[in-house]
Amino acid sequence: MAELMWAITVRDRDAGVGGLALTDVPYPHAAENDVVVRVHAAGFTTGELDWPTT
């Protein structure tokens, strides 16, 4: 069984903060010449939810 990590995922972009969910996802695996960086904390502002899709 693969190890899981927590991630904030977007379930419904139009719902704003209510569309975000904390979910378990598999840890990423690095391919050749890739680097995986462990993030211990992250944040965002509510204004970022209004940014256009990139």
Side-chain angles (χ1 to χ4, degrees):
M1 184 169 146
E3 291 186 52
L4 297 176
M5 66 179 193
W6 287 348
I8 295 177
T9 57
V10 178
R11 300 286 184 187
D12 181 0
R13 184 173 174 83
D14 295 328
V17 176
L20 302 178
L22 185 61
T23 57
D24 288 327
V25 296
Y27 276 101
H29 296 284
E32 187 175 342
N33 295 320
D34 284 351
V35 175
V36 176
V37 177
R38 178 175 280 176
V39 177
H40 292 276
F44 60 92
T45 65
T46 54
E48 290 178 85
L49 297 174
D50 296 330
W51 290 0
T53 303
T54 56

